[in-house]
Amino acid sequence: MKHFVVLNDKSVMVDGVPMQLENQGMAMLNDVYRSKIGDYPKFFKMDALCKVGFVASELLLKAETDGEISQRKAHGTSSRAVLLFNRSGSLNADTKYQATIQEADNFFPSPAIFVYTLPNIVTGEIAIRNLYYGETNFIVLDCMDLHTIAEQIANAFQDSETESMLTGWVDCYDENHFEARMLIINRNEDILNELNKIKQ
Amino acid sequence: MEELILKLKQEIIEALNLEDVKPEDIDENASLFGDGLGLDSIDALELIVLMEKNYGIKLSDPNQGKEIFKSVAVMADYISKNRTK
């Protein structure tokens, strides 16, 4: 079965099945972390975009391996790439960082925020967590254009090392407006057909 | 000093996003890095910012941090002797 995760600031679905959740926004993601993940304290230091991507990837990979962490780790190595897309880049973290340097008499640049002022930190976090040594990339697009995304995924598979790819759309405007649509695509699959599964 | 230690614990929890950690969970004599609170290098930089922002203490030599950030108690002692605000 092909697994996929679709979540936004109000709901989380794994393989089309909605999770029962009490909160919305970041509080909802924190709840999901505590109830379904819970073994990665660094989660709370992540910016909102990273939290969205991290939670989506964790739920997806748990579904892929029936929740067995050891099994999931076995999927590591350089054969899996992480390729994500969005529209907002790291705008949320950029804005927060700017606020720390906006006023000359209150100029205290935050190192903890600064480290998240690039969207590809998300792909790095996922790769580190899962021991993926393959290509990681984060591409910013005007909109979720599946044809462009499919083209980029196809290009990434030109690398002879890559056998599978954790990919999808991970966008975060702010703590109350975000979405992720994530799946794993294997070499030789019909990429556009697979991407259509996360479109709805 | 007790009051400053409590305030410092609260500021550290907030600045470093130590979710699920309460002031009473932090042993003021325990190491902040390594086996203690498990802080990392980015946290160290954030503590340097905290010292300057909240207490007007500017650490010009990063190596000073190794001594000052040994524990909350050591930090509080340094702050009480060097604070400008």
Side-chain angles (χ1 to χ4, degrees), chain A residues 30 34 41-42 44-46 106-113 115, chain B residues 15-20 39-40 42-43 45-46 49 52-53 85:
Chain A
N30 290 345
R34 288 192 179 96
K42 195 183 172 194
F44 292 110
K45 294 178 183 291
M46 293 177 183
N106 190 29
F107 188 89
F108 297 105
S110 167
I113 298 176
V115 294
Chain B
L16 305 185
N17 289 321
L18 301 178
E19 197 85 9
D20 296 338
L39 306 186
D40 59 23
I42 299 296
D43 294 323
L45 294 173
E46 205 65 45
V49 174
E52 186 178 353
K53 189 175 182 179
K85 64 179 180 184

Side-chain angles (χ1 to χ4, degrees), chain A residues 26 45-51 86 88-101 109-122 171-175 177:
Chain A
M26 278 300 128
K45 294 178 183 291
M46 293 177 183
D47 76 325
L49 177 66
C50 269
K51 282 186 173 180
N86 80 1
S88 305
S90 58
L91 183 64
N92 186 43
D94 297 349
T95 306
K96 286 179 185 299
Y97 181 70
Q98 181 63 33
T100 71
I101 58 172
S110 167
I113 298 176
F114 179 74
V115 294
Y116 288 104
T117 56
L118 283 172
N120 58 352
I121 302 302
V122 185
D171 201 23
C172 176
Y173 184 74
D174 63 28
E175 275 75 1
H177 301 87

Side-chain angles (χ1 to χ4, degrees), chain A:
Chain A
M1 178 188 174
K2 171 69 74 174
H3 299 286
F4 58 96
V5 169
V6 176
L7 68 82
N8 59 34
D9 40 86
K10 294 183 180 61
S11 66
V12 177
M13 286 197 292
V14 179
D15 298 337
V17 179
M19 289 175 65
Q20 297 298 318
L21 301 162
E22 290 180 4
N23 291 309
Q24 297 185 355
M26 278 300 128
M28 178 189 78
L29 286 189
N30 290 345
D31 289 348
V32 174
Y33 168 79
R34 288 192 179 96
S35 63
K36 302 288 180 189
I37 306 166
D39 62 342
Y40 203 62
K42 195 183 172 194
F43 171 79
F44 292 110
K45 294 178 183 291
M46 293 177 183
D47 76 325
L49 177 66
C50 269
K51 282 186 173 180
V52 174
F54 181 81
V55 167
S57 69
E58 287 289 302
L59 295 176
L60 176 64
L61 295 168
K62 277 179 185 289
E64 185 194 30
T65 60
D66 291 328
E68 291 296 324
I69 299 291
S70 56
Q71 219 179 333
R72 179 179 63 176
K73 293 289 184 192
H75 282 274
T77 81
S78 56
S79 65
R80 174 160 288 176
V82 182
L83 179 56
L84 298 175
F85 303 83
N86 80 1
R87 180 173 189 277
S88 305
S90 58
L91 183 64
N92 186 43
D94 297 349
T95 306
K96 286 179 185 299
Y97 181 70
Q98 181 63 33
T100 71
I101 58 172
Q102 187 66 30
E103 299 164 22
D105 57 352
N106 190 29
F107 188 89
F108 297 105
S110 167
I113 298 176
F114 179 74
V115 294
Y116 288 104
T117 56
L118 283 172
N120 58 352
I121 302 302
V122 185
T123 54
E125 292 278 13
I126 294 170
I128 290 167
R129 164 73 159 163
N130 297 287
L131 306 179
Y132 294 158
Y133 307 122
E135 179 180 340
T136 64
N137 201 356
F138 200 115
I139 298 172
V140 179
L141 302 173
D142 283 340
C143 62
M144 196 175 70
D145 173 7
L146 294 189
H147 288 277
T148 304
I149 291 173
E151 194 175 287
Q152 294 295 335
I153 291 171
N155 287 343
F157 271 119
Q158 298 291 317
D159 171 1
S160 60
E161 286 280 315
T162 304
E163 292 299 325
S164 67
M165 197 175 297
L166 186 151
T167 188
W169 183 262
V170 180
D171 201 23
C172 176
Y173 184 74
D174 63 28
E175 275 75 1
N176 295 307
H177 301 87
F178 56 80
E179 70 167 335
R181 297 168 182 273
M182 198 179 279
L183 80 169
I184 290 163
I185 295 180
N186 297 299
R187 178 182 287 280
N188 298 326
E189 285 182 332
D190 182 334
I191 297 171
L192 201 53
N193 187 46
E194 294 300 315
L195 286 175
N196 272 316
K197 292 174 183 168
I198 57 168
K199 191 182 175 187
Q200 288 85 25

